[in-house]
Amino acid sequence: MINDFMKSVAQFSDPRFRKVVLIGVAGALATIVGLWLLIWFGLSSITFFADGGWLESAADWILGIGLAVLVVLLFPAATVLISSLLLDQIADAVEDKHYPTLPETRPQPISEALISGLKFAATALALNILILPLLLAGPVYVIAFYGMNGYLLSREYFELVAIRRYDARTVEAIRKSRQKKLWLAGVGLTFLMTIPLVNLVAPIIATAFMVHYSVRLGTYVPETAV
């Protein structure tokens, strides 16, 4: 597993890896700055205090600082979201470099990818909301967070790469048959997602890692193609 991770990190010299990183960062910057300007101009047209004066100036400063904090908080999420739309290119780059003899990927309907993504997002949101009360329990929340998100991330990234060669039903069956091993990998990916700055490129590392890991588990090529 560590070797799979190291190979994934080492491939950041690949132009296709750098391209996805740059698009993610640039797209996130443009999105966040645009959103900040839109909110700022909208709020600046509103007068909070009829008499104006120092109270109005203080309110403007507080709003400005609040928006700046919002930009900082949203930037990683926006970067991850935009780069996640290009992860197929990462899988292609890994296959071309390390597994050039693999058969061609199957065409994936847009509806299939959309439904899968929406199901994952809904499940992740619901489960993370459900465990929020465990924040009061301290270490119990940490265990629940890593355990649950380990399952979610292993499922998401395995399905992301496996769906390139199998239909959705077969992907689910394979995932369940390797669930324990995939869960352990998912816990590692969850830790990666919580490291500042590293989390900006974590989806790229996770995708590359899962290609290597799936090939090693023998779950990446349909039996008819072997």
Side-chain angles (χ1 to χ4, degrees):
M1 192 180 298
I2 294 175
N3 187 47
D4 295 334
F5 173 77
M6 296 304 296
K7 285 191 292 186
S8 302
V9 173
Q11 200 170 340
F12 267 87
S13 59
D14 190 311
R16 282 179 287 185
F17 272 53
R18 296 200 300 269
K19 174 185 173 184
V20 173
V21 173
L22 290 174
I23 290 176
V25 171
L29 277 174
T31 302
I32 295 299
V33 170
L35 180 63
W36 184 86
L37 289 173
L38 184 65
I39 295 174
W40 174 257
F41 283 119
L43 291 175
S44 63
S45 64
I46 300 173
T47 301
F48 295 95
F49 299 95
D51 297 333
W54 70 272
L55 286 175
E56 187 68 29
S57 297
D60 289 341
W61 274 100
I62 292 171
L63 285 173
I65 294 172
L67 287 174
V69 172
L70 182 65
V71 166
V72 172
L73 292 176
L74 290 180
F75 178 71
T79 302
V80 168
L81 178 62
I82 293 172
S83 63
S84 293
L85 300 175
L86 305 170
L87 292 180
D88 263 357
Q89 297 182 28
I90 299 300
D92 286 337
V94 174
E95 291 179 11
D96 291 345
K97 179 178 176 63
H98 295 278
Y99 313 106
T101 60
L102 286 177
E104 291 294 321
T105 57
R106 74 181 184 90
Q108 184 184 6
I110 295 177
S111 59
E112 183 181 75
L114 182 61
I115 291 172
S116 175
L118 289 175
K119 283 173 60 179
F120 172 77
T123 302
L125 180 62
L127 289 177
N128 276 284
I129 289 174
L130 283 175
I131 68 169
L132 281 178
L134 294 177
L135 278 169
L136 301 174
V140 176
Y141 173 78
V142 175
I143 295 172
F145 175 84
Y146 277 96
M148 184 193 68
N149 283 288
Y151 162 75
L152 290 172
L153 290 180
S154 66
R155 172 179 172 175
E156 170 69 359
Y157 285 99
F158 176 75
E159 290 184 355
L160 172 72
V161 300
I163 202 71
R164 292 157 54 82
R165 288 188 162 75
Y166 299 97
D167 61 79
R169 183 175 296 180
T170 304
V171 168
E172 184 176 2
I174 295 173
R175 179 180 59 78
K176 289 180 177 178
S177 70
R178 305 291 200 284
Q179 195 157 295
K180 289 183 179 179
K181 290 183 177 180
L182 288 171
W183 176 78
L184 286 174
V187 171
L189 295 179
T190 301
F191 176 73
L192 200 66
M193 299 287 182
T194 61
I195 303 175
L197 296 181
V198 174
N199 59 1
L200 297 178
V201 296
I204 296 171
I205 298 174
T207 302
F209 167 85
M210 194 57 75
V211 172
H212 291 300
Y213 196 55
S214 296
V215 169
R216 194 158 53 79
L217 288 179
T219 61
Y220 201 43
V221 183
E223 292 181 2
T224 56
V226 176

